Amino acid sequence: MTQDELKKAVGWSALKYVKPDSLVGVGTGSTATHFIDALATIKGQIKGTVSSSDASTQKLKSYGIPVLDCNEVDSLDVYVDGADEINHHMQMIKGGGAALTREKIVSALAKQFICIVDESKVVDVLGKFPLPIEVIPMARSYVARELFKLGGKPIYRQGVVTDNGNVILDVHDLIIAKPIELENRINNIPGVVTVGLFANKGADIALIGTSIGVKEMK
Ligand code: 5RP
């Protein structure tokens, strides 16, 4: 199976976690897009969605799926999204698609985070995938110097402006042995909007697409 076929299989398998009359948080990326295709088949059965990016909002609306403003909801029943890496403690690196800030906000509202990934994303130690960090543009160089001090090599993602008008630094060469500690530390650097480490609040369930079927990890 190709990687995209594995992504499609997990995207569709997440449907069983969407209960009738629920409010659904929707992630961003190619795996989440497969989930949106699946969600469209039961759109009449859900209350609505909250989206984590303009791209996902557009896709949801193209199917006629209701998209609510985040400020209109107190909580979400479930949030379904992909990841760039996930470890066996259900902690993740996210933000490959630059949507990390809205993804963190929407996941914070959700009672349950279902992570949908193909098997290549499951790792023992996070950090091979460069860690995305959303930064206020005027703080870019300052934040980059602070990240150097933490042992990483930040690279400015040229030409990318987030949905919130900020920029992304991708931090290479970090071996993330203590994800919660690092998430807290980077969050404390002035100018950082969001670090793409989802460690304090990880996934509740991971659906992993493999060549022999979709596996579940809790
Ligand atoms: C976007 C994300 C995505 O979930 C992550 O990049 C995985 O993307 P894909 O499903 O295309 O592999 O965090 O900001």
Side-chain angles (χ1 to χ4, degrees), residues 130-133 135 140 143-145 147-148 152-158 160 167-173:
L131 177 64
I133 301 181
V135 176
R140 192 185 84 217
V143 172
R145 287 193 293 276
L147 293 167
F148 261 120
K153 287 202 188 92
I155 307 281
Y156 173 35
R157 205 184 290 180
Q158 297 277 350
V160 171
V167 297
I168 299 282
L169 293 172
D170 291 303
V171 190
H172 294 247
D173 296 345

Side-chain angles (χ1 to χ4, degrees), residues 7 28-32 81-84 93-100 103 121:
K7 289 180 178 193
T28 298
S30 52
T31 320
D81 197 2
D84 299 301
I93 287 184
K94 291 185 46 54
L100 60 165
E103 290 173 343
K121 309 281 187 74

Side-chain angles (χ1 to χ4, degrees), residues 104-193:
K104 222 175 230 193
I105 295 166
V106 180
S107 77
L109 283 170
K111 293 177 192 151
Q112 193 179 37
F113 187 142
I114 312 289
C115 177
I116 47 176
V117 287
D118 67 86
E119 58 193 341
S120 70
K121 309 281 187 74
V122 182
V123 298
D124 290 328
V125 181
L126 299 172
K128 195 163 176 205
F129 189 92
L131 177 64
I133 301 181
E134 180 165 351
V135 176
I136 300 281
M138 71 170 281
R140 192 185 84 217
S141 300
Y142 168 72
V143 172
R145 287 193 293 276
E146 293 301 301
L147 293 167
F148 261 120
K149 290 182 197 163
L150 294 178
K153 287 202 188 92
I155 307 281
Y156 173 35
R157 205 184 290 180
Q158 297 277 350
V160 171
V161 176
T162 70
D163 287 349
N164 316 303
N166 298 313
V167 297
I168 299 282
L169 293 172
D170 291 303
V171 190
H172 294 247
D173 296 345
L174 281 174
I175 296 165
I176 307 176
K178 294 180 177 167
I180 292 179
E181 220 173 279
L182 189 67
E183 182 179 7
N184 293 342
R185 205 145 163 208
I186 295 176
N187 269 335
N188 266 335
I189 301 173
V192 167
V193 177

Side-chain angles (χ1 to χ4, degrees), residues 14 17 23-28 32 52 76-86 90-95 99-100 102-117 196-207 216-218:
Y17 291 93
L23 278 172
V24 183
V26 177
T28 298
S52 62
L76 297 166
D77 296 290
V78 68
Y79 177 58
V80 180
D81 197 2
D84 299 301
E85 281 185 352
I86 181 164
M90 312 296 276
Q91 298 164 319
M92 296 161 283
I93 287 184
K94 291 185 46 54
L100 60 165
R102 295 190 186 187
E103 290 173 343
K104 222 175 230 193
I105 295 166
V106 180
S107 77
L109 283 170
K111 293 177 192 151
Q112 193 179 37
F113 187 142
I114 312 289
C115 177
I116 47 176
V117 287
L197 258 177
F198 287 56
N200 281 288
K201 186 180 188 295
D204 297 293
I205 293 172
L207 300 175
E216 199 177 284
M217 179 165 87
K218 281 186 185 172

